[in-house]
Amino acid sequence: MFKSLLIANRGEIAVRVIRTARRMGLKTIAVYSDADANAYHVAEADEAYRIGPAPAAESYLRMEAILDAAARSGAGAIHPGYGFLSENAAFAEVCEKAGVVFVGPPPAAIRAMGLKDAAKALMEKAKVPVVPGYHGDNQDADFLAQQAGKIGYPVLIKAVAGGGGKGMRRVDDPAQFAKELASAMREAGAAFGDERVLVEKYVARPRHIEIQVFADAHGNAVSLHERDCSLQRRHQKVIEEAPAPGMPLEMRDAMGKAAVAAAKAIGYRGAGTVEFIADASAGLKADGFWFMEMNTRLQVEHPVTEAITGLDLVEWQLRVAAGEHLPLAQKDIPLNGHAVEVRLYAEDPAKKFFPSTGRLARLRAPENMPHVRMDMGVREGDAVTMFYDPMIGKIVAHGETRRIALRTLRGFLARMEVAGPKTNLGFLIETLSHDAFIEGDIDTGFIDRHLDVLVPPAEPSPRILALAAAAYLQTRARAAGADPWSATDQWVLGGRRAETVDLVVGGVAHLLKIEPDAGDASLVRINDGAATVSNAAMTADGTLSATIDGTRLAAACVANGSGFTLIHEGIATEFAVVNPLDVDLAADADTGALKSPMPGKIVQVLVEAGATVKRGAALVVMEAMKMEQTLLAAADGKVASVNVAVGDQVEAGAALVAFEEPEK
Ligand code: ADP
């Protein structure tokens, strides 16, 4: 076996490959772009080499840069991960030429599966069922329309060079065919530099079921069973599981055999996935599945297979690449229980899942959960940038049954704390909680069909608002350096005054009236309702607990530029605090700067660079929302620089005053 492994990738897959390589005693070598100089995968590796600027085309996709890093580090092998260069036959070739083992299939096998039309023709020859359709050379629009008529509507137009759902159009109505064809071709041309398409039958109630295959250099090939990846949004997988719900034994057997035949037909070696589409309109049937494509690499969702087989697929990849035989024969491949994976993305479900970037102010998860695995690409404090895929990581639960795995995963996600960029965590929890999903009543249209109930409402619930009131009182008390329940100001028992505060969520202000009630309790009047908040407490790292109308609740509270983010049951709600009496929540201790809590105009600057200030000192006065706000120091410190002048217009979150790093 080679002694060192270079991982030509980043994020969670690089970290995950490093973990296995290290366990196997290999030296691990990372590569990184400028955006990733301090990334998680770099910290995890034994050595790391810079390969270029942030854009992938100038770093992770540059073969010479990666081969150069391999030469400099003396790497014995290169693992390409997924994406980037993983399915690039030319890269596999140059590795071979340079005398470095490419952990993947032979270049010819990558090429054979590279184009969907050629792959289908090959599979037909190998007697693997393929979706009925036309995948020939004739690209004439009239001819293709005629073929579509023959196949029968609805049909699917697909780019032959396709990937990621690009250049794909479903057509239900023959009158729309020409228009959709032109648009699919345009998109394919722009995305792949290849306009060619194929036309196939659109399968009714489609389920995406794929088979994990493995082959060695000695003619052996096995199936590691199926994964169901039907939970998709825009043809992109969101939740994956193994085995497929409702899978008959004879169908698993037939699919496994078809996938192994596919691998053998192209002289495959290593890990690969054969993707099929199944017609679930009358349940899964052994004659109701068709080949779609083969991915000649490790898949994002491989951990669900690892969970049910107890095998380490990266270990198998490395052993096969080193020339070893497959460790197990087909009859010895285990299948235990059920596993479900979710992909946690930095994206905003409320804004059509638009990617969301920024620093992860919080990224925590329950500890000591033996049946849950997390493959993370970032750590708390790391940034999600616009340069790469916005996936934060994957969370996988394993259980004896599907229901147990689902329940474990849902419970785990609900106790995760993620703040900074917006994420799909709440959306994932809703999906795992949906009755039809729990029943296994799934197909690739599931998410679109149920989208309105799966995207959590943008409006905070009364319970979240009551918790926010508790968080507000606690945060404010902390900034003032006092315990709210013992201080002698307005928060003292009995002596407390009523006050009002506007908590702004997504631009909508919620007016909270906080009135002292019996004991340490406060009555919080929110919009039309009221809640009693008592027994509130918050630890130094923002773990909040409070009793709301008699129910003890826990949440996490993380300071942000203009207020705080409250995380309760996986849902992160960003609150901007608007209170003319008190805006000292604005100081962001993490970045050592006083930040503007909201957009406004600077009317007074009360400090200068070099000044030593005490906590609570007034630093800047700004005018916002037609009121003057005095921004106070959150801690003792020395002013490094003042970044604004009187008359400046500033954005929310702008660093107004920077502090020097505290000594020691
Ligand atoms: P890409 O390579 O662009 O990801 P695929 O061929 O893998 O494209 O298809 C992606 C997804 O599109 C599948 O997982 C499935 O949900 C859907 N799909 C593909 N082919 C069909 C079909 N013939 N009928 C119905 N749905 C399909």
Side-chain angles (χ1 to χ4, degrees), residues 1-7 17-30 44-49 69-78 318:
M1 165 98 46
F2 33 82
K3 300 210 162 33
S4 59
L5 180 70
L6 182 146
I7 299 94
V17 172
I18 288 169
R19 196 182 308 133
T20 291
R22 197 192 286 138
R23 183 173 59 68
M24 293 173 69
L26 304 179
K27 182 170 90 173
T28 56
I29 302 149
E44 289 292 292
D46 296 315
E47 282 176 17
Y49 294 83
R72 280 196 284 155
S73 62
I78 296 184
L318 297 175

PDB file of all heavy atoms in Angstrom, residues 1-7 17-30 44-49 69-78 318:
ATOM      1  N   MET A   1       0.857  -1.217   0.000  1.00  0.00           N
ATOM      2  CA  MET A   1       0.000   0.000   0.000  1.00  0.00           C
ATOM      3  C   MET A   1       0.882   1.251   0.000  1.00  0.00           C
ATOM      4  O   MET A   1       1.930   1.270   0.632  1.00  0.00           O
ATOM      5  CB  MET A   1      -0.912  -0.059   1.240  1.00  0.00           C
ATOM      6  CG  MET A   1      -1.609   1.213   1.638  1.00  0.00           C
ATOM      7  SD  MET A   1      -3.340   1.503   1.130  1.00  0.00           S
ATOM      8  CE  MET A   1      -4.219   0.013   1.471  1.00  0.00           C
ATOM      9  N   PHE A   2       0.421   2.275  -0.736  1.00  0.00           N
ATOM     10  CA  PHE A   2       1.102   3.576  -0.700  1.00  0.00           C
ATOM     11  C   PHE A   2       1.137   4.092   0.742  1.00  0.00           C
ATOM     12  O   PHE A   2       0.332   3.672   1.571  1.00  0.00           O
ATOM     13  CB  PHE A   2       0.399   4.569  -1.636  1.00  0.00           C
ATOM     14  CG  PHE A   2      -1.090   4.346  -1.722  1.00  0.00           C
ATOM     15  CD1 PHE A   2      -1.933   4.868  -0.745  1.00  0.00           C
ATOM     16  CD2 PHE A   2      -1.641   3.566  -2.741  1.00  0.00           C
ATOM     17  CE1 PHE A   2      -3.293   4.638  -0.797  1.00  0.00           C
ATOM     18  CE2 PHE A   2      -3.025   3.335  -2.794  1.00  0.00           C
ATOM     19  CZ  PHE A   2      -3.850   3.869  -1.821  1.00  0.00           C
ATOM     20  N   LYS A   3       2.052   5.037   1.014  1.00  0.00           N
ATOM     21  CA  LYS A   3       2.230   5.473   2.400  1.00  0.00           C
ATOM     22  C   LYS A   3       1.599   6.830   2.692  1.00  0.00           C
ATOM     23  O   LYS A   3       1.449   7.222   3.845  1.00  0.00           O
ATOM     24  CB  LYS A   3       3.722   5.547   2.717  1.00  0.00           C
ATOM     25  CG  LYS A   3       4.396   4.190   2.543  1.00  0.00           C
ATOM     26  CD  LYS A   3       5.565   4.028   3.473  1.00  0.00           C
ATOM     27  CE  LYS A   3       5.970   2.577   3.628  1.00  0.00           C
ATOM     28  NZ  LYS A   3       5.777   1.742   2.401  1.00  0.00           N
ATOM     29  N   SER A   4       1.263   7.559   1.618  1.00  0.00           N
ATOM     30  CA  SER A   4       0.671   8.878   1.847  1.00  0.00           C
ATOM     31  C   SER A   4      -0.410   9.135   0.810  1.00  0.00           C
ATOM     32  O   SER A   4      -0.380   8.590  -0.289  1.00  0.00           O
ATOM     33  CB  SER A   4       1.751   9.961   1.785  1.00  0.00           C
ATOM     34  OG  SER A   4       2.385   9.931   0.530  1.00  0.00           O
ATOM     35  N   LEU A   5      -1.376   9.973   1.212  1.00  0.00           N
ATOM     36  CA  LEU A   5      -2.541  10.228   0.362  1.00  0.00           C
ATOM     37  C   LEU A   5      -2.803  11.722   0.285  1.00  0.00           C
ATOM     38  O   LEU A   5      -2.945  12.386   1.320  1.00  0.00           O
ATOM     39  CB  LEU A   5      -3.768   9.522   0.955  1.00  0.00           C
ATOM     40  CG  LEU A   5      -5.080   9.693   0.187  1.00  0.00           C
ATOM     41  CD1 LEU A   5      -5.040   8.925  -1.137  1.00  0.00           C
ATOM     42  CD2 LEU A   5      -6.269   9.218   1.026  1.00  0.00           C
ATOM     43  N   LEU A   6      -2.855  12.228  -0.948  1.00  0.00           N
ATOM     44  CA  LEU A   6      -3.248  13.629  -1.143  1.00  0.00           C
ATOM     45  C   LEU A   6      -4.742  13.657  -1.446  1.00  0.00           C
ATOM     46  O   LEU A   6      -5.233  12.854  -2.249  1.00  0.00           O
ATOM     47  CB  LEU A   6      -2.443  14.255  -2.285  1.00  0.00           C
ATOM     48  CG  LEU A   6      -2.705  15.737  -2.575  1.00  0.00           C
ATOM     49  CD1 LEU A   6      -1.410  16.416  -3.031  1.00  0.00           C
ATOM     50  CD2 LEU A   6      -3.793  15.960  -3.613  1.00  0.00           C
ATOM     51  N   ILE A   7      -5.460  14.546  -0.791  1.00  0.00           N
ATOM     52  CA  ILE A   7      -6.898  14.648  -1.016  1.00  0.00           C
ATOM     53  C   ILE A   7      -7.144  15.897  -1.857  1.00  0.00           C
ATOM     54  O   ILE A   7      -6.967  17.025  -1.396  1.00  0.00           O
ATOM     55  CB  ILE A   7      -7.691  14.698   0.311  1.00  0.00           C
ATOM     56  CG1 ILE A   7      -7.445  13.411   1.111  1.00  0.00           C
ATOM     57  CG2 ILE A   7      -9.192  14.821   0.027  1.00  0.00           C
ATOM     58  CD1 ILE A   7      -6.339  13.490   2.108  1.00  0.00           C
ATOM     59  N   VAL A  17     -12.312  11.744   4.225  1.00  0.00           N
ATOM     60  CA  VAL A  17     -11.296  10.865   3.649  1.00  0.00           C
ATOM     61  C   VAL A  17     -10.050  10.853   4.554  1.00  0.00           C
ATOM     62  O   VAL A  17      -9.467   9.800   4.806  1.00  0.00           O
ATOM     63  CB  VAL A  17     -10.939  11.297   2.208  1.00  0.00           C
ATOM     64  CG1 VAL A  17      -9.738  10.513   1.683  1.00  0.00           C
ATOM     65  CG2 VAL A  17     -12.139  11.096   1.282  1.00  0.00           C
ATOM     66  N   ILE A  18      -9.701  12.021   5.068  1.00  0.00           N
ATOM     67  CA  ILE A  18      -8.540  12.123   5.959  1.00  0.00           C
ATOM     68  C   ILE A  18      -8.726  11.207   7.176  1.00  0.00           C
ATOM     69  O   ILE A  18      -7.809  10.511   7.602  1.00  0.00           O
ATOM     70  CB  ILE A  18      -8.317  13.590   6.404  1.00  0.00           C
ATOM     71  CG1 ILE A  18      -7.790  14.416   5.219  1.00  0.00           C
ATOM     72  CG2 ILE A  18      -7.367  13.671   7.597  1.00  0.00           C
ATOM     73  CD1 ILE A  18      -7.780  15.917   5.459  1.00  0.00           C
ATOM     74  N   ARG A  19      -9.935  11.186   7.697  1.00  0.00           N
ATOM     75  CA  ARG A  19     -10.208  10.391   8.907  1.00  0.00           C
ATOM     76  C   ARG A  19      -9.847   8.915   8.681  1.00  0.00           C
ATOM     77  O   ARG A  19      -9.161   8.296   9.499  1.00  0.00           O
ATOM     78  CB  ARG A  19     -11.683  10.540   9.294  1.00  0.00           C
ATOM     79  CG  ARG A  19     -11.992  10.094  10.710  1.00  0.00           C
ATOM     80  CD  ARG A  19     -13.476  10.219  11.030  1.00  0.00           C
ATOM     81  NE  ARG A  19     -13.986  11.546  10.734  1.00  0.00           N
ATOM     82  CZ  ARG A  19     -15.116  11.790  10.064  1.00  0.00           C
ATOM     83  NH1 ARG A  19     -15.866  10.794   9.625  1.00  0.00           N
ATOM     84  NH2 ARG A  19     -15.520  13.018   9.842  1.00  0.00           N
ATOM     85  N   THR A  20     -10.304   8.363   7.565  1.00  0.00           N
ATOM     86  CA  THR A  20     -10.016   6.951   7.286  1.00  0.00           C
ATOM     87  C   THR A  20      -8.534   6.739   6.964  1.00  0.00           C
ATOM     88  O   THR A  20      -7.909   5.793   7.457  1.00  0.00           O
ATOM     89  CB  THR A  20     -10.891   6.452   6.125  1.00  0.00           C
ATOM     90  OG1 THR A  20     -12.246   6.399   6.576  1.00  0.00           O
ATOM     91  CG2 THR A  20     -10.465   5.065   5.669  1.00  0.00           C
ATOM     92  N   ALA A  21      -7.979   7.634   6.160  1.00  0.00           N
ATOM     93  CA  ALA A  21      -6.568   7.485   5.772  1.00  0.00           C
ATOM     94  C   ALA A  21      -5.683   7.481   7.010  1.00  0.00           C
ATOM     95  O   ALA A  21      -4.743   6.689   7.133  1.00  0.00           O
ATOM     96  CB  ALA A  21      -6.162   8.609   4.824  1.00  0.00           C
ATOM     97  N   ARG A  22      -6.015   8.343   7.945  1.00  0.00           N
ATOM     98  CA  ARG A  22      -5.216   8.430   9.161  1.00  0.00           C
ATOM     99  C   ARG A  22      -5.337   7.139   9.968  1.00  0.00           C
ATOM    100  O   ARG A  22      -4.358   6.615  10.476  1.00  0.00           O
ATOM    101  CB  ARG A  22      -5.687   9.620   9.986  1.00  0.00           C
ATOM    102  CG  ARG A  22      -4.674  10.024  11.026  1.00  0.00           C
ATOM    103  CD  ARG A  22      -5.256  10.989  12.003  1.00  0.00           C
ATOM    104  NE  ARG A  22      -5.430  12.302  11.450  1.00  0.00           N
ATOM    105  CZ  ARG A  22      -6.501  13.057  11.654  1.00  0.00           C
ATOM    106  NH1 ARG A  22      -7.506  12.604  12.374  1.00  0.00           N
ATOM    107  NH2 ARG A  22      -6.588  14.255  11.148  1.00  0.00           N
ATOM    108  N   ARG A  23      -6.572   6.633  10.060  1.00  0.00           N
ATOM    109  CA  ARG A  23      -6.784   5.371  10.788  1.00  0.00           C
ATOM    110  C   ARG A  23      -5.977   4.246  10.152  1.00  0.00           C
ATOM    111  O   ARG A  23      -5.514   3.330  10.840  1.00  0.00           O
ATOM    112  CB  ARG A  23      -8.279   5.023  10.774  1.00  0.00           C
ATOM    113  CG  ARG A  23      -8.632   3.770  11.546  1.00  0.00           C
ATOM    114  CD  ARG A  23     -10.128   3.550  11.660  1.00  0.00           C
ATOM    115  NE  ARG A  23     -10.851   3.431  10.411  1.00  0.00           N
ATOM    116  CZ  ARG A  23     -10.728   2.406   9.563  1.00  0.00           C
ATOM    117  NH1 ARG A  23      -9.910   1.409   9.825  1.00  0.00           N
ATOM    118  NH2 ARG A  23     -11.431   2.385   8.444  1.00  0.00           N
ATOM    119  N   MET A  24      -5.779   4.315   8.830  1.00  0.00           N
ATOM    120  CA  MET A  24      -5.025   3.265   8.135  1.00  0.00           C
ATOM    121  C   MET A  24      -3.518   3.530   8.163  1.00  0.00           C
ATOM    122  O   MET A  24      -2.748   2.799   7.523  1.00  0.00           O
ATOM    123  CB  MET A  24      -5.515   3.151   6.689  1.00  0.00           C
ATOM    124  CG  MET A  24      -6.947   2.641   6.608  1.00  0.00           C
ATOM    125  SD  MET A  24      -7.607   2.695   4.930  1.00  0.00           S
ATOM    126  CE  MET A  24      -6.625   1.432   4.123  1.00  0.00           C
ATOM    127  N   GLY A  25      -3.118   4.582   8.866  1.00  0.00           N
ATOM    128  CA  GLY A  25      -1.688   4.835   9.031  1.00  0.00           C
ATOM    129  C   GLY A  25      -1.040   5.586   7.886  1.00  0.00           C
ATOM    130  O   GLY A  25       0.186   5.632   7.776  1.00  0.00           O
ATOM    131  N   LEU A  26      -1.839   6.180   7.010  1.00  0.00           N
ATOM    132  CA  LEU A  26      -1.277   6.941   5.894  1.00  0.00           C
ATOM    133  C   LEU A  26      -1.014   8.387   6.311  1.00  0.00           C
ATOM    134  O   LEU A  26      -1.751   8.941   7.127  1.00  0.00           O
ATOM    135  CB  LEU A  26      -2.250   6.945   4.707  1.00  0.00           C
ATOM    136  CG  LEU A  26      -2.691   5.585   4.171  1.00  0.00           C
ATOM    137  CD1 LEU A  26      -3.671   5.760   3.027  1.00  0.00           C
ATOM    138  CD2 LEU A  26      -1.475   4.783   3.713  1.00  0.00           C
ATOM    139  N   LYS A  27       0.019   8.972   5.707  1.00  0.00           N
ATOM    140  CA  LYS A  27       0.218  10.406   5.897  1.00  0.00           C
ATOM    141  C   LYS A  27      -0.819  11.118   5.027  1.00  0.00           C
ATOM    142  O   LYS A  27      -1.042  10.737   3.878  1.00  0.00           O
ATOM    143  CB  LYS A  27       1.625  10.811   5.474  1.00  0.00           C
ATOM    144  CG  LYS A  27       1.904  12.300   5.708  1.00  0.00           C
ATOM    145  CD  LYS A  27       3.367  12.651   5.518  1.00  0.00           C
ATOM    146  CE  LYS A  27       3.614  13.026   4.063  1.00  0.00           C
ATOM    147  NZ  LYS A  27       4.968  13.545   3.829  1.00  0.00           N
ATOM    148  N   THR A  28      -1.468  12.155   5.582  1.00  0.00           N
ATOM    149  CA  THR A  28      -2.529  12.829   4.833  1.00  0.00           C
ATOM    150  C   THR A  28      -2.065  14.209   4.375  1.00  0.00           C
ATOM    151  O   THR A  28      -1.453  14.959   5.137  1.00  0.00           O
ATOM    152  CB  THR A  28      -3.800  12.961   5.686  1.00  0.00           C
ATOM    153  OG1 THR A  28      -3.472  13.646   6.901  1.00  0.00           O
ATOM    154  CG2 THR A  28      -4.370  11.594   6.029  1.00  0.00           C
ATOM    155  N   ILE A  29      -2.360  14.519   3.121  1.00  0.00           N
ATOM    156  CA  ILE A  29      -1.899  15.760   2.516  1.00  0.00           C
ATOM    157  C   ILE A  29      -3.103  16.507   1.958  1.00  0.00           C
ATOM    158  O   ILE A  29      -3.844  15.985   1.114  1.00  0.00           O
ATOM    159  CB  ILE A  29      -0.895  15.461   1.384  1.00  0.00           C
ATOM    160  CG1 ILE A  29       0.290  14.668   1.954  1.00  0.00           C
ATOM    161  CG2 ILE A  29      -0.422  16.752   0.722  1.00  0.00           C
ATOM    162  CD1 ILE A  29       0.912  13.713   0.961  1.00  0.00           C
ATOM    163  N   ALA A  30      -3.317  17.722   2.459  1.00  0.00           N
ATOM    164  CA  ALA A  30      -4.440  18.534   1.976  1.00  0.00           C
ATOM    165  C   ALA A  30      -3.940  19.543   0.950  1.00  0.00           C
ATOM    166  O   ALA A  30      -2.757  19.876   0.914  1.00  0.00           O
ATOM    167  CB  ALA A  30      -5.086  19.274   3.150  1.00  0.00           C
ATOM    168  N   GLU A  44      -7.012  19.439   9.638  1.00  0.00           N
ATOM    169  CA  GLU A  44      -7.056  18.010   9.937  1.00  0.00           C
ATOM    170  C   GLU A  44      -5.914  17.218   9.300  1.00  0.00           C
ATOM    171  O   GLU A  44      -5.580  16.122   9.750  1.00  0.00           O
ATOM    172  CB  GLU A  44      -8.384  17.413   9.446  1.00  0.00           C
ATOM    173  CG  GLU A  44      -9.591  17.834  10.267  1.00  0.00           C
ATOM    174  CD  GLU A  44      -9.562  17.243  11.666  1.00  0.00           C
ATOM    175  OE1 GLU A  44      -9.700  16.017  11.797  1.00  0.00           O
ATOM    176  OE2 GLU A  44      -9.384  18.014  12.632  1.00  0.00           O
ATOM    177  N   ALA A  45      -5.311  17.751   8.232  1.00  0.00           N
ATOM    178  CA  ALA A  45      -4.303  16.986   7.495  1.00  0.00           C
ATOM    179  C   ALA A  45      -2.921  17.125   8.139  1.00  0.00           C
ATOM    180  O   ALA A  45      -2.662  18.055   8.889  1.00  0.00           O
ATOM    181  CB  ALA A  45      -4.254  17.469   6.050  1.00  0.00           C
ATOM    182  N   ASP A  46      -2.049  16.173   7.800  1.00  0.00           N
ATOM    183  CA  ASP A  46      -0.681  16.249   8.311  1.00  0.00           C
ATOM    184  C   ASP A  46       0.103  17.362   7.625  1.00  0.00           C
ATOM    185  O   ASP A  46       0.949  18.006   8.238  1.00  0.00           O
ATOM    186  CB  ASP A  46       0.038  14.910   8.082  1.00  0.00           C
ATOM    187  CG  ASP A  46      -0.609  13.789   8.875  1.00  0.00           C
ATOM    188  OD1 ASP A  46      -0.908  14.013  10.065  1.00  0.00           O
ATOM    189  OD2 ASP A  46      -0.834  12.705   8.310  1.00  0.00           O
ATOM    190  N   GLU A  47      -0.152  17.546   6.333  1.00  0.00           N
ATOM    191  CA  GLU A  47       0.522  18.597   5.565  1.00  0.00           C
ATOM    192  C   GLU A  47      -0.501  19.243   4.658  1.00  0.00           C
ATOM    193  O   GLU A  47      -1.495  18.620   4.308  1.00  0.00           O
ATOM    194  CB  GLU A  47       1.597  17.995   4.644  1.00  0.00           C
ATOM    195  CG  GLU A  47       2.875  17.622   5.330  1.00  0.00           C
ATOM    196  CD  GLU A  47       3.848  16.941   4.361  1.00  0.00           C
ATOM    197  OE1 GLU A  47       3.658  17.059   3.131  1.00  0.00           O
ATOM    198  OE2 GLU A  47       4.776  16.302   4.865  1.00  0.00           O
ATOM    199  N   ALA A  48      -0.223  20.482   4.253  1.00  0.00           N
ATOM    200  CA  ALA A  48      -1.155  21.132   3.323  1.00  0.00           C
ATOM    201  C   ALA A  48      -0.388  22.018   2.352  1.00  0.00           C
ATOM    202  O   ALA A  48       0.632  22.604   2.706  1.00  0.00           O
ATOM    203  CB  ALA A  48      -2.176  21.955   4.103  1.00  0.00           C
ATOM    204  N   TYR A  49      -0.881  22.073   1.121  1.00  0.00           N
ATOM    205  CA  TYR A  49      -0.231  22.854   0.067  1.00  0.00           C
ATOM    206  C   TYR A  49      -1.216  23.794  -0.593  1.00  0.00           C
ATOM    207  O   TYR A  49      -2.329  23.389  -0.948  1.00  0.00           O
ATOM    208  CB  TYR A  49       0.379  21.913  -0.986  1.00  0.00           C
ATOM    209  CG  TYR A  49       1.518  21.102  -0.414  1.00  0.00           C
ATOM    210  CD1 TYR A  49       1.268  19.936   0.309  1.00  0.00           C
ATOM    211  CD2 TYR A  49       2.834  21.535  -0.550  1.00  0.00           C
ATOM    212  CE1 TYR A  49       2.297  19.203   0.876  1.00  0.00           C
ATOM    213  CE2 TYR A  49       3.879  20.809   0.021  1.00  0.00           C
ATOM    214  CZ  TYR A  49       3.606  19.646   0.718  1.00  0.00           C
ATOM    215  OH  TYR A  49       4.628  18.941   1.288  1.00  0.00           O
ATOM    216  N   ALA A  69       1.573  19.756  -6.180  1.00  0.00           N
ATOM    217  CA  ALA A  69       1.511  19.525  -4.728  1.00  0.00           C
ATOM    218  C   ALA A  69       1.828  18.066  -4.422  1.00  0.00           C
ATOM    219  O   ALA A  69       2.496  17.754  -3.430  1.00  0.00           O
ATOM    220  CB  ALA A  69       0.133  19.899  -4.191  1.00  0.00           C
ATOM    221  N   ALA A  70       1.362  17.160  -5.291  1.00  0.00           N
ATOM    222  CA  ALA A  70       1.638  15.732  -5.084  1.00  0.00           C
ATOM    223  C   ALA A  70       3.137  15.470  -5.201  1.00  0.00           C
ATOM    224  O   ALA A  70       3.718  14.728  -4.400  1.00  0.00           O
ATOM    225  CB  ALA A  70       0.872  14.889  -6.109  1.00  0.00           C
ATOM    226  N   ALA A  71       3.763  16.113  -6.188  1.00  0.00           N
ATOM    227  CA  ALA A  71       5.205  15.909  -6.379  1.00  0.00           C
ATOM    228  C   ALA A  71       5.978  16.481  -5.195  1.00  0.00           C
ATOM    229  O   ALA A  71       6.880  15.834  -4.651  1.00  0.00           O
ATOM    230  CB  ALA A  71       5.655  16.576  -7.680  1.00  0.00           C
ATOM    231  N   ARG A  72       5.602  17.680  -4.777  1.00  0.00           N
ATOM    232  CA  ARG A  72       6.322  18.315  -3.669  1.00  0.00           C
ATOM    233  C   ARG A  72       6.191  17.527  -2.375  1.00  0.00           C
ATOM    234  O   ARG A  72       7.102  17.462  -1.566  1.00  0.00           O
ATOM    235  CB  ARG A  72       5.802  19.738  -3.455  1.00  0.00           C
ATOM    236  CG  ARG A  72       6.399  20.736  -4.457  1.00  0.00           C
ATOM    237  CD  ARG A  72       6.177  22.142  -3.989  1.00  0.00           C
ATOM    238  NE  ARG A  72       4.801  22.547  -4.218  1.00  0.00           N
ATOM    239  CZ  ARG A  72       4.164  23.496  -3.532  1.00  0.00           C
ATOM    240  NH1 ARG A  72       4.785  24.124  -2.545  1.00  0.00           N
ATOM    241  NH2 ARG A  72       2.926  23.801  -3.813  1.00  0.00           N
ATOM    242  N   SER A  73       5.005  16.939  -2.167  1.00  0.00           N
ATOM    243  CA  SER A  73       4.776  16.231  -0.902  1.00  0.00           C
ATOM    244  C   SER A  73       5.177  14.761  -0.989  1.00  0.00           C
ATOM    245  O   SER A  73       5.199  14.069   0.018  1.00  0.00           O
ATOM    246  CB  SER A  73       3.294  16.315  -0.541  1.00  0.00           C
ATOM    247  OG  SER A  73       2.520  15.679  -1.554  1.00  0.00           O
ATOM    248  N   GLY A  74       5.460  14.308  -2.189  1.00  0.00           N
ATOM    249  CA  GLY A  74       5.790  12.896  -2.360  1.00  0.00           C
ATOM    250  C   GLY A  74       4.599  11.986  -2.154  1.00  0.00           C
ATOM    251  O   GLY A  74       4.742  10.828  -1.726  1.00  0.00           O
ATOM    252  N   ALA A  75       3.395  12.469  -2.460  1.00  0.00           N
ATOM    253  CA  ALA A  75       2.173  11.682  -2.255  1.00  0.00           C
ATOM    254  C   ALA A  75       2.212  10.398  -3.086  1.00  0.00           C
ATOM    255  O   ALA A  75       2.569  10.427  -4.262  1.00  0.00           O
ATOM    256  CB  ALA A  75       0.947  12.512  -2.630  1.00  0.00           C
ATOM    257  N   GLY A  76       1.798   9.281  -2.474  1.00  0.00           N
ATOM    258  CA  GLY A  76       1.754   8.023  -3.193  1.00  0.00           C
ATOM    259  C   GLY A  76       0.460   7.842  -3.961  1.00  0.00           C
ATOM    260  O   GLY A  76       0.398   7.084  -4.927  1.00  0.00           O
ATOM    261  N   ALA A  77      -0.612   8.529  -3.517  1.00  0.00           N
ATOM    262  CA  ALA A  77      -1.916   8.375  -4.152  1.00  0.00           C
ATOM    263  C   ALA A  77      -2.713   9.661  -4.013  1.00  0.00           C
ATOM    264  O   ALA A  77      -2.432  10.482  -3.131  1.00  0.00           O
ATOM    265  CB  ALA A  77      -2.682   7.209  -3.509  1.00  0.00           C
ATOM    266  N   ILE A  78      -3.708   9.819  -4.901  1.00  0.00           N
ATOM    267  CA  ILE A  78      -4.587  10.997  -4.849  1.00  0.00           C
ATOM    268  C   ILE A  78      -6.030  10.528  -4.771  1.00  0.00           C
ATOM    269  O   ILE A  78      -6.490   9.748  -5.607  1.00  0.00           O
ATOM    270  CB  ILE A  78      -4.412  11.882  -6.099  1.00  0.00           C
ATOM    271  CG1 ILE A  78      -2.991  12.452  -6.145  1.00  0.00           C
ATOM    272  CG2 ILE A  78      -5.455  13.011  -6.115  1.00  0.00           C
ATOM    273  CD1 ILE A  78      -2.738  13.409  -7.295  1.00  0.00           C
ATOM    274  N   LEU A 318      -9.324   2.666  -0.926  1.00  0.00           N
ATOM    275  CA  LEU A 318      -7.862   2.728  -0.834  1.00  0.00           C
ATOM    276  C   LEU A 318      -7.256   1.338  -1.028  1.00  0.00           C
ATOM    277  O   LEU A 318      -6.238   1.179  -1.702  1.00  0.00           O
ATOM    278  CB  LEU A 318      -7.439   3.337   0.514  1.00  0.00           C
ATOM    279  CG  LEU A 318      -7.902   4.793   0.728  1.00  0.00           C
ATOM    280  CD1 LEU A 318      -7.558   5.273   2.137  1.00  0.00           C
ATOM    281  CD2 LEU A 318      -7.286   5.728  -0.308  1.00  0.00           C
TER     282      LEU A 318
END
